[in-house]
Structure formats: structure tokens, C-alpha cells
Amino acid sequence: MRQAIWNRLARPDAGEASLSEDLQSLLYSLRRHLGMDVAFISEFCEGRRVLRVVDAGGSAECPKQGHSDPQEASYCRKIVDHDLSGIIPDASLHPVTRAMPVTRELNIGAYLGVPLQDASGEVFGTFCCYRHLPDASLDRRDLALLRIVADIAGRQIEKRFRERREEDAILARIEQVLEREAVAIVYQPIYHLGQRRVVGYESLARFSAEPYRTPDVWFAEARRVGAGERLEMLALRQALAALEAFPESRYLAFNVSPDHVISGAVARALAGRESSRIVLEVTEHDRIEDYAAFREAVAPLRARGVRLAIDDAGAGYASFQHILELDADILKLDISLIRELHRDRRRRALAASLIAFARTIGCEVIAEGVECREELETLREHGVNKVQGYHIGRPMPLEAALGFAPADG
């Protein structure tokens, strides 16, 4: 038989807590409706019947979660093996149950139980309830209700099991990348139109592991399995290693998650680095639950000369919230604003408003996603001096970035 489901769900997280709460609620409702004293979900594991979720209204007499018995000594196994019916109105009168020690140990009077199955039809446990006194009123309708509720519970458990199995596979991939430090960094140039030179680079992570996944998927999956900080800090350290290779007149920009700024992980990674050449970018896609905590965490870095940029400005509500809350040094106009800027008056109007706003608050503007000469010229007309995008240069390895000179600026 496969590995026990609850062993696969043994890593605590919010998802598992939610599952336990949902199952507890199901048991409570069922127990109250049927007038039972105890309801539980069991799992068959290594020859034993283990109680995984139990509801008994706080009764001290009931077995606790984790209680186990040999499978062959339990009602659960006998119900699954069809040695017992799922309805037992009086366990003291039934020829099988009256001789079983568990009947006296748990003070079972009346009992209802049905198997729990996964999506393949394999039985992995039972969904049961009992009361301490006999109940001659139990009938097939009660058993039918139990089966319906058990089916709901089984689907919930199976869904979480599949999610956990998927998360285990994700974590294995992430751990392999972390162990091998298999993150490649490429650098996209940021060009100053007035000075006609490259003034900085945005560092971007790339992953070569198969099957191919875009970097945003890698980082999102790492966050899902609790490895987000480790993967992001690996990418940050890899990118920082190139800082000394670039001329002192050029800076490096890094995408960082607000949570990792607040936790202090970013500050630890930047310790001892030349802060005035570092820009931290917070993107539209990163929610900040506590702006005050973020400002407090980033303040010592900014005092050392680290600059703060809001990436993807104009892409959605979150970027505008960042603009209002963070007092950033740099505003990066999102590609969704820049694309076809020379042809779309609505985009030009919004871009012009953001540019004017940035000037008012003393914030520098960088336009990213510049992909053609016409877009560049329109930005120049609006007074934007710094641009980034395929028209200037694609993300490239360090060696190519060191010798890069744009053909069109």
C-alpha cells in the first residue's frame, strides 16, 4: 500500500491547518445531526488503525487524535473487509463486536462507519461515529448520510494529498537548484539618452533545469513551498558577485520581495557591499501587507546609499499604492504603458501623468520595455532620459554586458 496520506501531509502549513479545520467542522456537524458522542476519521497505516481527526464535543472519555489500534482489532478494518455492517445499533448484542475488546475500551454502544477512498478507489481509512448507548433508530438513511459526508471528506483529503505531492516535487527541484547554485544571472542595460551611455544594469535570474520554467514560475513555486527566501537570496548573491566587475560609474538593480526586506535577509546579503551602486526594485506583483514595517526595514539600507525603485509602475493598483507609500527614488514605467506609446494617446496621457508626478516628488523615471525607435523618441519628447528594453539591449551574460555598446540611442 502507498505511503500513509497523513505522513505525506506531515509538513505543517496553512493549507494543512485549513484542511484539519474543515474536517473537524464536518465531523462536528455529522455527530450533532446523528446524536453521536464521538466522530472520527481514521487512516490505515503500517498495520494499525490511527485516528487522524476526532470530534467529541470536549468529552474526556473519547480517544484522542493519534490514538491507534491494530487494524484487525478495530471496527474500521472489519467494516472495510465486510466482516461488519456499517450499521451497528447495539454493539453489546452483535456477535462480532460484543467479543471485541475495543467495544469495552471505547464504551461503544451504537456505531456507524464507512470506508474512505481516494480518487483511484483505494481504501485508505474510514469515516465513523459512535455513541455510548445503543440506538435502535439507526437505519440506512443514516448510513447514506454518512457516506455522503465521507465522500466530501475523502475528496478534501485527496485534493490536499495531491497538492502536497506536487509541492514535494517542487521542493525537490528547488533544493536541487539551491544545492548546485544553478542560477545564471543576465544583465539588461539601462541607457541614459542625454549622456549617451549605459549607466546601470538590471540583473535577472535564469534557470536551465528541465522542464523549462520561466523565472517568475521558479520564484512563485519556491514561495509556495517555503523556499522563496533561500532561492531569492541565492540569485541576489550570484548577481552581486558581478558588482565589482562593472565600472564604478554603473549601478546594479535587483528585484526583491518585500517580505525578504522586512525579514532582514536582503540587508544580510548586502552587508559589506558598495551601497551607492545598488538599486532594490519592488514590483507591482509583490504585495506589501505592512508598509510601515517595510519602510522601517529599508531605512538603514537607504541611509547607506541604497536606492529604492518601484517596478512596473502603471501596470495595476499595487504599483500606485507603492508610489504613495514608499517615497521611492526611481519610478520604472511598465512595458504595458510603453508598448505602442507613439500610437496610443491614452498610453501617452497616462505615461505623461506619471512622469509629471515623478518630477513633482523628485523621483527619477526609467522607461522599461522600449522595443522600437518610435517609442524611444516619444519618451525623449516627454523628457525621459533613462530607458531599458530590447531596442537598447537584451538581457545578456556578464561578459557581453561588460563590453556592450548600444547601436541606437
Side-chain angles (χ1 to χ4, degrees):
M1 187 175 177
R2 70 180 180 189
Q3 184 182 5
I5 282 184
W6 258 266
N7 288 350
R8 295 293 297 272
L9 301 183
R11 191 170 68 248
D13 64 9
E16 185 184 344
S18 176
L19 173 64
S20 295
E21 290 167 4
D22 289 345
L23 295 175
Q24 195 84 42
S25 178
L26 273 177
L27 288 173
Y28 171 81
S29 298
L30 179 77
R31 182 180 63 79
R32 293 292 300 272
H33 179 78
L34 293 176
M36 294 294 188
D37 295 310
V38 178
F40 64 84
I41 293 172
S42 78
E43 181 184 20
F44 298 135
C45 180
E46 298 178 352
R48 299 187 72 82
R49 186 282 317 267
V50 185
L51 304 190
R52 296 303 191 182
V53 187
V54 181
D55 181 81
S59 170
E61 189 178 351
C62 79
K64 306 301 181 186
Q65 180 174 311
H67 174 89
S68 73
D69 294 297
Q71 283 189 34
E72 64 275 8
S74 70
Y75 285 25
C76 298
R77 185 74 257 173
K78 294 187 182 301
I79 287 173
V80 168
D81 292 340
H82 305 292
D83 294 331
L84 276 178
S85 165
I87 306 174
I88 305 170
D90 189 340
S92 66
L93 299 179
H94 193 284
V96 175
T97 57
R98 69 185 177 193
M100 295 177 67
V102 70
T103 302
R104 293 179 294 279
E105 290 169 7
L106 299 183
N107 189 21
I108 298 174
Y111 193 97
L112 286 172
V114 295
L116 273 177
Q117 298 178 325
D118 62 19
S120 69
E122 182 180 356
V123 173
F124 63 86
T126 57
F127 195 103
C128 303
C129 56
Y130 65 88
R131 60 179 298 178
H132 300 308
L133 296 174
D135 185 354
S137 71
L138 291 180
D139 58 25
R140 291 289 171 185
R141 286 177 298 180
D142 297 320
L143 191 62
L145 174 62
L146 189 67
R147 287 198 177 99
I148 292 171
V149 178
D151 183 60
I152 294 171
R155 289 175 186 273
Q156 289 180 318
I157 295 167
E158 178 68 17
K159 178 177 180 289
R160 188 65 191 120
F161 176 72
R162 290 196 306 269
E163 290 172 351
R164 181 65 84 200
R165 187 167 50 198
E166 182 179 324
E167 289 165 4
D168 288 345
I170 290 170
L171 185 59
R173 290 196 297 268
I174 300 295
E175 292 290 356
Q176 191 172 58
V177 167
L178 291 168
E179 182 180 345
R180 299 178 180 179
E181 298 190 344
V183 179
I185 304 297
V186 293
Y187 302 87
Q188 186 168 32
I190 300 167
Y191 188 74
H192 196 296
L193 295 173
Q195 299 175 5
R196 300 183 64 83
R197 68 183 183 90
V198 174
V199 293
Y201 296 88
E202 180 179 357
S203 65
L204 301 163
R206 296 291 183 263
F207 299 86
S208 58
E210 296 294 338
Y212 174 76
R213 290 172 175 80
T214 56
D216 61 311
V217 172
W218 276 99
F219 287 112
E221 290 189 335
R223 287 192 295 271
R224 177 180 169 185
V225 298
E229 182 175 299
R230 289 192 293 153
L231 186 62
E232 187 171 304
M233 291 308 101
L234 171 61
L236 181 56
R237 290 193 302 272
Q238 300 282 66
L240 281 167
L243 188 62
E244 295 179 1
F246 286 110
E248 291 186 1
S249 59
R250 299 177 186 178
Y251 67 83
L252 281 181
F254 312 91
N255 286 297
V256 293
S257 298
D259 288 348
H260 305 153
V261 174
I262 294 172
S263 74
V266 172
R268 291 190 292 273
L270 298 184
R273 300 290 181 174
E274 190 177 346
S275 303
S276 62
R277 296 175 60 202
I278 292 173
V279 173
L280 301 180
E281 296 187 3
V282 177
T283 79
E284 151 73 20
H285 310 293
D286 289 322
R287 292 179 58 86
I288 299 180
E289 302 294 342
D290 188 339
Y291 280 100
F294 181 87
R295 288 192 295 266
E296 182 180 353
V298 82
L301 297 174
R302 299 183 77 177
R304 286 168 41 201
V306 172
R307 287 179 290 166
L308 182 64
I310 296 173
D311 200 7
D312 307 321
Y317 170 79
S319 63
F320 289 109
Q321 190 74 7
H322 291 351
I323 292 169
L324 294 174
E325 295 280 356
L326 297 183
D327 188 26
D329 304 287
I330 300 169
L331 197 64
K332 298 189 73 174
L333 301 182
D334 185 65
I335 187 174
S336 63
L337 278 181
I338 305 307
R339 186 181 293 117
E340 299 291 319
L341 183 70
H342 54 293
R343 295 178 180 172
D344 190 324
R345 62 184 178 85
R346 293 178 179 81
R347 282 187 170 86
R348 285 199 303 277
L350 181 53
S353 298
L354 285 171
I355 293 165
F357 175 79
R359 288 196 187 113
T360 300
I361 63 174
C363 190
E364 184 181 350
V365 174
I366 298 175
E368 53 185 354
V370 179
E371 296 189 351
C372 68
R373 180 80 186 182
E374 291 80 8
E375 292 169 352
L376 186 145
E377 292 302 332
T378 303
L379 289 164
R380 196 197 303 267
E381 291 169 7
H382 282 79
V384 176
N385 279 319
K386 291 184 179 179
V387 293
Q388 174 184 348
Y390 284 5
H391 183 67
I392 300 299
R394 292 173 176 266
M396 59 193 77
L398 176 60
E399 295 76 12
L402 289 171
F404 175 75
D408 188 2

